[in-house]
């Protein structure tokens, strides 16, 4: 029986992990990225990215983050490569908002610990921080950070190591006449054929699918600063 052929466009967090999971489920996978996994233009790039499950009452994000933490730990045990650092996160609230209460409830519902501190307790535990204008403090012990660029590179390398193919190339906006997409020509002329295509292109999705995505995704600029102690 022939394997299902899948092409995944975009080797960021969503594309890389989708490709790796598909390989592990027996698909014949080609992972394509315009500049390679972990590149500087990537939404999933950067040296580090915070991972946390505190999202107020948006339980779906808490649930996704909780599952991601489990999967990262499993992957580290399997690969022997450390990419996740669970340092904990200190949440400081100027007023005791519904965001804090909603977050605590969502964390508990997903089996994740959180600790509510009075400002006096917080001051004793974290003497380097002033809590003068603070109303509430919460600690999320299982939060931390990921080595983002290295993680993207490692997941993509795992795809190739476990039987997938990794290509560098740019995909144009596909023609969608109403039939399933079975063939895609990259800008350099290479042709990819597959039973299914997965587009995990982050901020480029509106340009690739203007009629479908349009203005549904708004691209924001975030400046990142690094400090040496």
């Amino acid at each position: 029986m022939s394997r299902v052929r899948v092409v995944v466009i975009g080797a960021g967090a969503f594309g890389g992990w989708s490709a790796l999971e598909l390989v592990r489920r027996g698909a014949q996978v080609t992972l394509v990225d315009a500049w390679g996994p972990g590149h500087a233009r990537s939404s999933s790039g950067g040296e580090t990215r915070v991972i946390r499950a505190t999202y107020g009452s948006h339980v779906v994000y808490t649930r996704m983050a909780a599952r991601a933490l489990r999967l990262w730990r499993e992957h580290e045990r399997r690969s022997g490569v450390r990419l996740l650092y669970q340092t904990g996160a200190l949440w400081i609230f100027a007023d005791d908002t519904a965001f804090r209460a909603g977050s605590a409830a969502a964390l508990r519902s997903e089996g994740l610990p959180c600790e509510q501190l009075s400002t006096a307790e917080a001051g004793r535990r974290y003497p380097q921080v002033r809590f003068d204008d603070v109303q509430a403090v919460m600690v999320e012990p299982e939060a931390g950070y990921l080595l983002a660029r290295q993680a993207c590179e490692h997941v993509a390398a795992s795809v190739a190591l476990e039987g997938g193919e990794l290509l560098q190339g740019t995909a144009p906006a596909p023609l969608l006449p109403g039939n399933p997409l079975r063939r895609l020509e990259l800008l350099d002329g290479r042709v990819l054929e597959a039973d299914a295509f997965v587009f995990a292109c982050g901020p480029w999705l509106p340009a690739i699918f203007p009629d479908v995505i349009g203005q549904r995704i708004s691209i924001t600029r975030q400046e990142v600063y690094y400090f040496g102690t």
Side-chain angles (χ1 to χ4, degrees):
M1 182 177 178
S2 61
R3 294 190 295 165
V4 174
R5 299 172 302 166
V6 182
V7 170
V8 179
I9 309 295
F14 281 89
W17 274 107
S18 295
L20 186 55
E21 184 65 22
L22 285 163
V23 167
R24 290 174 174 174
R25 295 189 183 202
Q28 180 181 330
V29 178
T30 301
L31 177 60
V32 184
D33 196 277
W35 293 284
H39 63 81
R41 300 175 179 87
S42 170
S43 295
S44 302
E47 288 306 301
T48 59
R49 288 297 176 93
V50 172
I51 183 166
R52 41 91 178 198
T54 295
Y55 286 96
S57 60
H58 299 290
V59 181
V60 62
Y61 292 115
T62 300
R63 189 171 298 131
M64 290 170 67
R67 183 167 184 264
L69 283 166
R70 290 194 297 271
L71 291 174
W72 276 116
R73 288 192 291 260
E74 289 172 11
H75 184 73
E76 287 189 335
R77 286 193 294 269
R78 180 172 184 166
S79 67
V81 176
R82 187 179 183 188
L83 299 164
L84 170 66
Y85 290 79
Q86 291 179 276
T87 59
L90 179 68
W91 292 87
I92 300 172
F93 301 92
D95 26 72
D96 198 0
T97 62
F99 181 87
R100 180 193 61 82
S103 297
L107 288 166
R108 286 193 293 267
S109 71
E110 294 304 314
L112 294 173
C114 69
E115 187 178 357
Q116 311 290 337
L117 300 181
S118 68
T119 54
E121 290 171 322
R124 287 192 293 270
R125 186 179 298 186
Y126 306 102
Q128 68 272 43
V129 180
R130 289 180 59 184
F131 296 95
D132 295 353
D133 299 321
V134 173
Q135 296 297 318
V137 179
M138 185 177 79
V139 179
E140 184 185 349
E142 296 204 4
Y145 67 92
L146 287 154
L147 301 178
R149 175 183 56 79
Q150 293 181 41
C152 290
E153 293 170 346
H154 174 73
V155 171
S158 298
V159 170
L161 185 66
E162 297 188 29
E165 182 181 11
L166 180 61
L167 297 180
Q168 186 168 334
T170 303
L175 297 176
L176 300 173
N179 298 317
L181 182 64
R182 293 287 185 262
R183 183 179 187 275
L184 184 69
E185 183 175 348
L186 301 180
L187 291 185
D188 61 9
R190 286 177 293 176
V191 175
L192 302 176
E193 296 182 346
D195 302 300
F197 288 81
V198 177
F199 288 84
C201 305
W204 287 275
L205 282 172
I208 296 177
F209 298 103
D211 296 335
V212 179
I213 305 285
Q215 300 301 313
R216 293 176 182 270
I217 295 178
S218 298
I219 312 305
T220 61
R221 175 183 177 181
Q222 298 184 24
E223 295 184 354
V224 180
Y225 298 90
Y226 295 92
F227 297 89
T229 56

